[in-house]
Amino acid sequence: MIEDTIAAIATAVGEGSIAVIRISGPEALQIADRIYTGKDSLASQPTHTIHYGKVRDPQSGETVDEVLVSVMRAPRSFTMEDVVEISCHGGIVPVRRTLDLLLDAGARMAEPGEFTKRAFLNGRIDLAQAEAVIDLIRSRSDRAFSIAMKQAEGSLSERIRMLRHDLVELMAHIEVNIDYPEHDVEEMTNTFIKDKTLSAIDVIEGLLRTAKQGKVMREGIITAIVGKPNVGKSSLLNELAQEERAIVTDIPGTTRDVIEEFVTVNGIPLKLLDTAGIRETADVVERIGVERSRGAIADADLILMVVNSNEPLTDEERALIVQLQGKPMLLLLNKSDLPAGVDKKWLSEHIEQERMIEMSMKEHRGIDQLGEAIAKMFFSGEVETADPTYVSNSRHIHLLNQAQHSLQEALQATEQWMPIDMIQIDIRTSWEKLGEIVGDAVGESLLDQIFSQFCLGK
Amino acid sequence: MGYHAGDYDVIVIGAGHAGCESALAAARMGCETLLITINLDMVAFMPCNPSIGGPAKGHVVREIDALGGEMGRNIDRTFIQMRMLNTGKGPAVHALRAQADKFLYQHTMKETIELQDNLELRQGMVEQLIVENGECKGVITKTGAEYHAKTVVLTTGTYLRGKVIMGELMYESGPNNQQPSIKLSDNLRELGFDLVRFKTGTPPRVLRESIDFSKTEIQPGDEKPRYFSYESTADTAAQEEQLPCWLTYTTSNTHQIINDNLHRAPMFSGQIEGTGPRYCPSIEDKIVRFHDKPKHQIFLEPEGRHTSEYYVQGLSTSMPEDVQLSMLRSISGLENVRMMRTGYAIEYDAVVPTQLWPTLETKLVPNLFTAGQINGTSGYEEAAGQGIVAGINAARKVQGKESVVIDRSQGYIGVLIDDLVTKGTNEPYRLLTSRAEYRLLLRNDNADLRLTPIGYEIGLIQEERHERFLAKKEAIANELARLASVKIRPDEDVQQLLAEAGTAPLQNSVDAVTLLRRPEITYSQLDVLCPPDDDIAADVKEQVEIQVKYSGYIEKQLLQVERLKRMESKRIPDDIDYYAVHGIASEAKQKLAEIRPLSVGQASRISGVTPADISILLVYLEHYNQVVASRS
C-alpha cells in the first residue's frame, strides 16, 4: 500500500502568510528536487534542515515562487517516511502551481487523512488517533462521493462519459480483433486507431482549455492594480466594486480570512490583490506605492496599471511600463476628461494601442472598454458564460493531463507501428484515468461493450 | 446396501478435462488417487467443438503444460490441424489453436491415465459425498460402493441435473445423451451449497460426404506446426498430414427460417431458465440481437481422421430438429446436407464460485474441492486449468503442505480462478485476453518462464526438463547481456543494411540492444550485424527479441505487478470479524464477510468494496497485528 509518494497542501492560508505543501514517501526528496533549485539538491541534505531556494517549472524554466524547504528523513518525521515541506509565499496561485508541478513530477495527490494514515501504519500514532482518521477517511470519502455525484449530473461528467464511450468502443473493437481473430469484424488498423486517438486528444485538449477558463470563472483573474498614488487606483477600485459588491472568498478547507476582493467586469470575475494596500496607501508617498506594486505584480494574472493622462509620466512609471512589457498588462489612462498631458508618442513606442484604455473615473467612462479588453486577453474575445462546462478541480485537471499523456503515447505507438495490443495498453490507461474523474468502476464494462457491439459465437 | 470399496488419498469425480488434470496431478505428486466417472467411454470427451486453444485458452494450455499437466502433450499427439493465430499482432496475444481428432484425443488421454502409477480409473455414478464432522471423507456410488479419501475433487461438468432442450422437446440428460447426475446435486444443496442454473449449447453435426466443399473457402493449418507442450517435438507429436477446415456463410434464407420459427425457439418461449453465455450465443440469439447483419460465418470442422462427422461452428442452436435441418440446408455448400447429430441446449447446476477459496477448496466443506464447469466456467481449457490447480491443492492438503495459488500476474489460470472466487460470475465464464490486466506479461511464449519453477517445486516437472528450462533461462540472460555490450559501428555494411531495413543510418556506435529497439530492426538482422559465437536456439532468440523490443511496455506492467504483489502480501487473518471493524461501509462488510479474502489485494477486487474501505481495513489490520503481537 505504502509505495508511492504523496503530496498535498498541508495548510491553507491566505495571502501574506505562509502555505506549506507536504510531500511524503520514498521519493519525496527526488520529486521535490525536480522542481526545486537551490544551492544544493535536497537529496544531498541531512535530515531536519531548512533550505532557501526557488520552485521552477522544469518545462519552461520559469520561477514560480521563492520558498523555504524543510527536509525530514525517515523515520524521524510525522509519517516516518521521507518528508519534504515546502513553504510557499502564499497566495493561492503559486501554491497551486507548486502542487501541480509536484504532481507532474511524480507525486500523487494525497487522499483525505492519508498523511495521518501513513503515520499510523508506520507505527507513529496510536489507535485512538487512528480511529479519528477512520472517521476522517469515511466522512471525506462520503463527501467526495457526493461531490462526485453532483458533478455526475453536470455537463463535464457528461462530456467525459461520452469520451469514455468512444474510447471503450475503440477498445472493444481492438479486443474483438485480438480475442476473435477469425471473426469477420473490421480489421483494426493503426491508421484507424490513430484517427480515433487524435479525436479523443482533441476533446481532452478542449476540456483542458475550459479548465483554464473554468479556473478563471471560478477563482477570478488574479488582478493587481498598480500605479503611483493619486492617479485614481482607489477610484478604479470603487468603480469596479459598484458593479458587484465585493465579496469574500470561501475556498473549501481554508480559514475564512479575507483574502482578496472579488469584482466582476462585464461578467468576468477579477480577484483584486492587495486592495487594502491600495486604500491605505492612497495618500502615502510615491516611493512606497510603487514598491508595493512590484510585489503584487509577481502574483498576478492581470496587471492594471493606472496613470494620470493629464500629466507627463514619471521616470518610475516609464521604468514600470518597460518592466511590464510582455506581461498581461493593460494601461489605464485615467482622467481623460482633463486635457492630455501624457507623452503619447513615448507610450505608443512602448505599448500596443489595444492595451491602452482611456478612462475617466470621475465621469464613469471606460469600464466597458476595460471589460472588452480583458475578455479579449483571456477568452479571445468571447466569454462563454452560457456554457457551464468547466474543469476546475486540480485533481480532475491532473487526471485529464494524465489521460491525455497516455493517448499521446498511444498515438506515438501507432506511428511506430506497434502491435494493436500494445497500443491498447495506453488507451486503456487513459480510459481508466477518465473513469477516476467521473467515478465509474472499471472492469466488466469493456466486456459488456464487446458483447453488445459485436456478434460473436460458436 | 453400501460396502467399503477402498481407501485413497484423493478421489476425483468426473473424468472430463478438469478431472483428468486433477487426477493425474494428484497421482504424480504421489497420492493414491481414484478417478471415478459415469461412463469410461467418455474420458476427456469433447462434447462441443473439436478444438483446443485460441486466444487466452491456448495460453492456459501452455500454462498447464508448464505446471506439469497433460492437456498440451495430449493435443500435440492428437491434433489434425495446428494454427498460430494473431501473428500480425503483438507477441502477447499470439495464440496457438489446434483442431483435435476428438476420438484419438480421448483414447490417448484414457491410456495415459490407465498407465499412470498411483491412479485408478473406475466407472461409477457418485450420488453422495461422505461428510463427517463437517469435513468431506469420501463418496458413495449408485451401486453402494463407499470410497474413502482424505480429499475429494468434484468435476461434474454439465451433468448435474443436466437437461437437454431441442425445441419443444426437453429431457433429463447429460451431454451427448449421457446419464445425468441428479442425486449429487440434491446432496450438494443439502450440504448448504448455493447452486445456480447455467445453460450452454452445441451445433448439429453433419456428414462430410453430403457437403459441397466447392462452395466454401478452405482454411488450412500452418505449414510448420508449433506445439503446445514444451516437451513435444516433431517425433512425439502427431505427424500425419493436416486436415483443413472450411468457411461458409448463412444466407438470408437461413435468417428467414429462424425468424419464421422463433415461436418454437426455447430461448424465446421461456422454456430455458438457465443463463447462457453472451460470448457464444445460439444462432437464433445472434439473428435476433444483430438483425442487421446480413450473414454469419459458419466454419465446418472435421471431428477426427476416422469419422465423417463435421462440426458446424457458428450454428449452436436449440431449435426443433426439423427447423435445424432446414437451417442447415439454407447454408451455402450444405444444400443437400445429411444431419448426423442434432444440436441442443443443455441446462445444468453449477456451484456459485464465491463459495470457494482461491485453492478451489470449498469454504463450506473442508477437503472438498471443485473444478471446471461446476464452478461456472465454460471451455475445455478453463476446466483443465482449474483441474490441475484443484488436483495440486487436494494433494498438497493430503501431504500437509502449503497450498498453491497462481496470482493474476503469473498466469491466465490465476486470472480465471481469482475472477471466479472473488467476483463470481452470472453467466458461464470464458477466458478472454482482455480479462488479464498484465496481458503483456502473460504471453504464449513465456508460460514456461512463468510457471515451470512452480511445477518443479511441487514435483510435477521432472529433473531433466527442469535442467533444460534453467539452461534456456541462462541462455536468454547471456544473450541479453551480450547484446547490451556489443557495439555496432556505423560502417558502410551496417549503414547499407539499415537502409535496406528502412531505418535511419547510425550517427555513432550503438549497442545492439539500442538498435534492436528500433521498430524496423529484428533479431535476424542482428544475427548478421553481430553474430553470436555459438548457435542460439530459436526460442531463446524469440525471448530476447520480445524482451528487448517491448521493454518499455513490459517495465510499465512490471511496476504495476510490484504494486499488486505488495497488496497480495498483506494477508488477512481468517478469524477477522468484518462486522466489528469500525468505519467500513455495510455493503462492503457484507461482501467481505461472504468472500473472506485471503489478502488485501483480493479484498480490493471485490465489487462494492471501495478504496476507502480498503484504507480502513489496512488501518484495522495494523491494529489487529499489534494486538496479536502484544498478546504473544
Side-chain angles (χ1 to χ4, degrees), chain A residues 277-290:
Chain A
I278 293 172
R279 289 191 170 112
E280 274 167 28
T281 55
D283 298 318
V284 187
V285 284
E286 189 167 309
R287 195 174 47 79
I288 301 174
V290 174

Side-chain angles (χ1 to χ4, degrees), chain A residues 1-3 111 117 120-123 125 127 130-131 133-135 137-138 141 174-175 177-185 187 409-410 413 416-426 428-429 444 446-458, chain B residues 48 55 83 85-86 89-93 97 200-201 249 278-281 286 289-290 293 295-297 299 311 313-316 430 432-435 439-440 519 549-550 553 556-557 563 566-567 570 582-585 610 612-613 615-616 618-619 622-623:
Chain A
M1 190 65 187
I2 298 171
E3 73 268 356
E111 292 158 22
K117 186 178 96 187
F120 173 76
L121 291 180
N122 292 323
I125 57 171
L127 183 67
E131 296 230 318
V133 180
I134 287 175
D135 290 335
I137 294 171
R138 185 82 270 160
S141 76
I174 294 174
E175 294 296 354
N177 268 244
I178 293 169
D179 274 323
Y180 294 85
E182 291 171 307
H183 212 271
D184 55 345
V185 297
E187 182 83 23
E409 296 211 329
Q416 294 172 346
W417 294 101
M418 278 289 171
I420 57 172
D421 53 302
M422 307 271 177
I423 301 169
Q424 173 84 327
I425 294 175
D426 287 316
R428 192 180 177 128
T429 306
E444 200 66 4
L446 173 59
L447 294 181
D448 293 342
Q449 185 61 34
I450 294 174
F451 296 126
S452 61
Q453 195 173 339
F454 299 98
C455 173
L456 306 162
K458 66 178 178 186
Chain B
C48 198
R83 266 185 86 181
L85 305 174
N86 275 341
K89 305 186 183 90
V93 297
R97 204 267 321 276
T200 186
Y249 292 92
R278 286 173 297 175
Y279 47 78
C280 60
K286 287 193 270 188
R289 281 176 51 209
F290 296 90
K293 201 169 164 166
K295 58 179 188 175
H296 293 269
Q297 286 175 318
F299 290 93
Y311 178 88
Q313 199 224 96
L315 207 73
S316 175
R430 178 210 208 264
L432 297 162
T433 68
S434 54
R435 295 196 193 261
R439 176 159 70 189
L440 184 52
K549 274 214 153 335
Y550 305 111
Y553 287 101
K556 260 193 233 172
Q557 294 223 311
R563 229 168 286 156
R566 257 187 296 247
M567 293 285 273
K570 293 200 187 294
H582 168 67
I584 292 182
T610 66
D613 295 319
S615 278
I616 291 163
L618 276 171
V619 171
E622 186 57 34
H623 162 63

Side-chain angles (χ1 to χ4, degrees), chain A residues 92-104:
Chain A
I92 291 297
V93 179
V95 177
R96 285 268 180 89
R97 276 286 303 281
T98 303
L99 180 61
D100 285 346
L101 289 176
L102 286 168
L103 297 179
D104 286 342

Side-chain angles (χ1 to χ4, degrees), chain B residues 295-312:
Chain B
K295 58 179 188 175
H296 293 269
Q297 286 175 318
I298 299 290
F299 290 93
L300 304 172
E301 306 175 0
E303 295 230 310
R305 279 184 195 282
H306 307 288
T307 174
S308 283
E309 276 189 84
Y310 265 63
Y311 178 88
V312 186

Side-chain angles (χ1 to χ4, degrees), chain A residues 43-112:
Chain A
S44 65
Q45 305 293 357
T47 187
H48 290 77
T49 51
I50 296 182
H51 311 276
Y52 166 79
K54 283 175 177 155
V55 168
R56 287 213 165 98
D57 182 336
Q59 304 244 308
S60 66
E62 178 199 348
T63 300
V64 174
D65 204 358
E66 287 181 27
V67 292
L68 285 176
V69 181
S70 324
V71 171
M72 283 151 284
R73 287 176 181 274
R76 290 180 54 205
S77 72
F78 174 60
T79 57
M80 297 188 79
E81 302 172 337
D82 283 347
V83 167
V84 173
E85 289 184 351
I86 302 179
S87 305
C88 297
H89 263 73
I92 291 297
V93 179
V95 177
R96 285 268 180 89
R97 276 286 303 281
T98 303
L99 180 61
D100 285 346
L101 289 176
L102 286 168
L103 297 179
D104 286 342
R108 170 171 67 73
M109 180 87 104
E111 292 158 22

